[in-house]
Amino acid sequence: MTRVRASAIAAIVIVIIAVAAGGAYLAVSRSQGSVYVYISDPGRGGNVTTTGIYLTVTSIMVHSASTGKWLTITNRTITVLLSSVPQAVAQANLPPGVYNEVRLYVSSVTVQLGSVNVSAKLPSNALKIPIVNGGLNVTAGRRAYLVISMGPHVTQAAGGYIVSPVAVAYAYYAPPNTTTNTTA
């Protein structure tokens, strides 16, 4: 009878722990907002005609205007072909607040010239991109969308290619017209 009682108590403790963990998960997920990150290329400039630009992004972070802290959206390596259609690249849950800057860490850039791919240099390998029009406002239990609009200029210099992006990020509160054109 003692074994039955001990087993019953153990089962009750496991159920209590499971319920508490589930409740804690729901409380945290409802106290945060979901942020979806996209990258687009509205057009290219520079002195080189390209048919494609591939960025390999190793980390995406956002800066909280209220706390001054950088929060990681993803550290997953992803390669994206820049396109005029916004492409989904990451998603994360963030605490409510206003975010005013996004940072992309880029490990490599490949420029497609006709049917030939060549490596290009991106000065600093990190892009600090302002989120315009008041920033990204994350609200608990709601979705927000961050579209990074890059207008990379590709130039040829010193026997190589340099990509000098001009980038800005826009906040949306409804999904942008998108596609998924990435590789993991």
Side-chain angles (χ1 to χ4, degrees), residues 12 16-17 27 45 50 53 105 111 123 129 132 141 143-145 155 158-159 162:
I12 291 171
I16 291 171
I17 291 171
T50 64
I53 297 175
Y105 291 94
V111 176
I129 304 163
V132 297
R143 292 182 179 186
Y145 303 86
T155 56
I162 298 173

Side-chain angles (χ1 to χ4, degrees), residues 91-171:
Q91 183 275 326
N93 292 325
L94 296 176
V98 176
Y99 297 86
N100 60 357
E101 190 174 358
V102 62
R103 188 177 288 170
L104 292 181
Y105 291 94
V106 178
S107 64
S108 67
V109 179
T110 301
V111 176
Q112 187 175 7
L113 306 169
S115 61
V116 177
N117 289 344
V118 297
S119 292
K121 188 175 194 174
L122 177 71
S124 84
N125 288 343
L127 301 172
K128 290 182 180 180
I129 304 163
I131 303 171
V132 297
N133 299 331
L136 174 70
N137 187 9
V138 174
T139 305
R142 308 275 318 257
R143 292 182 179 186
Y145 303 86
L146 184 64
V147 178
I148 300 167
S149 180
M150 302 184 75
H153 297 285
V154 179
T155 56
Q156 188 172 13
Y161 294 90
I162 298 173
V163 175
S164 303
V166 175
V168 65
Y170 298 94

Side-chain angles (χ1 to χ4, degrees), residues 13-30:
V13 168
I14 290 171
V15 168
I16 291 171
I17 291 171
V19 169
Y25 172 78
L26 286 175
V28 168
S29 65
R30 288 189 178 152

